[in-house]
Amino acid sequence: MTLHPQIIQKEGRSEFVVIPYQEYLDVQEALEDLHDLQALQEARAAHEGETGIPIREVGARLGF
């Protein structure tokens, strides 16, 4: 992802960053993906070493 930031200064110091709206949406989506990945990694770590249930068994338990 390439960003095209514009830095707005106040009294000679960087104060704000402005990026095009589409780039903002791209950054927001990437952050959401990162959050989802972290949640997945935490869930996997919390259940590490546990035995899974085959999908057919899950279906049978649910009446499918």
Side-chain angles (χ1 to χ4, degrees):
M1 169 183 338
T2 302
L3 297 179
H4 301 90
Q6 293 180 337
I7 309 297
I8 299 173
Q9 295 187 347
K10 181 178 179 182
E11 298 177 7
R13 298 181 67 196
S14 298
E15 187 76 15
F16 300 98
V17 175
V18 178
I19 58 173
Y21 185 68
Q22 186 58 53
E23 289 178 12
Y24 163 77
L25 294 175
D26 293 344
V27 167
Q28 188 175 28
E29 183 177 352
L31 289 172
E32 289 171 0
D33 290 346
L34 176 60
H35 181 264
D36 291 345
L37 177 60
Q38 289 171 333
L40 175 62
Q41 290 171 336
E42 290 172 6
R44 283 185 174 169
H47 298 283
E48 189 174 346
E50 292 182 13
T51 304
I53 301 172
I55 191 69
R56 287 188 178 130
E57 187 177 332
V58 172
R61 289 182 186 186
L62 295 174
F64 294 110

